[in-house]
Amino acid sequence: MAIGSEIERLIQLLAKLPGLGPRSARRAALALLKKRDTLLEPLSAALADAAGAIKTCEVCGNLDTASPCAICTDARRDPHLLCVVEDVADLWALERAAIFRGRYHVLGGALSALDGVTPERLNVGGLLARVKQGVDEVILAMNATVEGQTTAHYLMDVLGDIKVTRLAHGVPVGGELDYLDEGTLSAAFKARRAL
Amino acid sequence: MAIGSEIERLIQLLAKLPGLGPRSARRAALALLKKRDTLLEPLSAALADAAGAIKTCEVCGNLDTASPCAICTDARRDPHLLCVVEDVADLWALERAAIFRGRYHVLGGALSALDGVTPERLNVGGLLARVKQGVDEVILAMNATVEGQTTAHYLMDVLGDIKVTRLAHGVPVGGELDYLDEGTLSAAFKARRAL
């Protein structure tokens, strides 16, 4: 046996991370073992810190050191604007763009008959309860996938009379028409605006 | 701030792993935080275990829980056959192939004028000392790169009179000629064997 069981176990766990396969997990394990002081030990500590400190926000579903999270308790953010996302990663992406000053609601996925994701498995109840507390606009920021759009249509139905909007479809900024699929081109064409 | 400093730190450290960029490090961090019991805590423990248990073998340079390592102390392995590799990853690759029953010597890299890797920065002294203790054959299993082949030529010179071999170049098993570079085809052609 060339590889000790501690290394094997490390490789197996690293291979479970998205983006790392068995081969890259081996490379990552080797890099960790070679850079013990600068990488392995700090990462071990960071994981332990995160395990202890990070909670899921009971209000919106974001991940943060506090629950309710920093966004939900930020008085400068408009509580009457609610942006619904599938996943915490989407919330982070919107925060990086820094274009939204309201609050979020993380559904925890999208409806999918194939994967058996029914409305009961998403945080829809929490959304409806928050909307009842007084929300002016619900922005549905689902992915532009079949599942995401199915989820958006379902939410539009259950949300009832409130103002519901969704993100625009169109040509990505910096995108070249030649490389775009027909669906995007068709959506961009239909939603064309007067200059 | 949507992302707590604990998560930011975790993402920064994950992004230092080979094969993970900033975006995939974020996805990995999210996966870790979502699968706390099955992924984050086991990985944290595995890293702590590895940090405590894994040593560099003082004889061959392999990584193992013991020094000398399990290969160096395995009496069934021929101590008169020495396979020289650049890196521990290469040793692991050869062990996976299970074709070699001698011992290894890890150089810790390959000569590179560009990266300033001189013979002094590789474990050449250790190799020469081991060879003096009585070795029948030194197999140079360097990468088939310019640096690897430069290193092999250098070692051939300093090893002197002993029997030195290198891995064969040729068509990879399962490889199609149409997809191979000219260098490989030329090497395979020159080294053709009678059937």
Side-chain angles (χ1 to χ4, degrees), chain A residues 58-72:
Chain A
E58 67 208 53
V59 178
C60 74
N62 187 18
L63 291 165
D64 199 357
T65 44
S67 171
C69 72
I71 294 179
C72 285

Side-chain angles (χ1 to χ4, degrees), chain A residues 6 26 34 36 54 87, chain B residues 34 36 54 65 87 96:
Chain A
E6 282 87 356
R26 255 196 320 264
K34 282 184 188 167
R36 200 166 296 208
I54 307 299
D87 198 278
Chain B
K34 282 184 187 167
R36 200 166 298 208
I54 307 299
T65 45
D87 199 278
R96 282 198 300 281

Side-chain angles (χ1 to χ4, degrees), chain A residues 60 77-86 90-91 94-95 99-107 127 130 135 137-142 165 167:
Chain A
C60 74
R77 300 188 74 123
D78 189 345
H80 305 294
L81 276 178
L82 209 55
C83 179
V84 185
V85 291
E86 294 179 22
D90 306 326
L91 187 163
L94 287 166
E95 281 298 291
I99 26 101
F100 179 60
R101 297 304 300 164
R103 307 241 167 117
Y104 291 95
H105 189 83
V106 180
L107 284 177
L127 173 63
R130 290 180 76 187
V135 164
E137 179 181 352
V138 175
I139 300 155
L140 300 178
M142 265 74 259
T165 56
L167 300 189

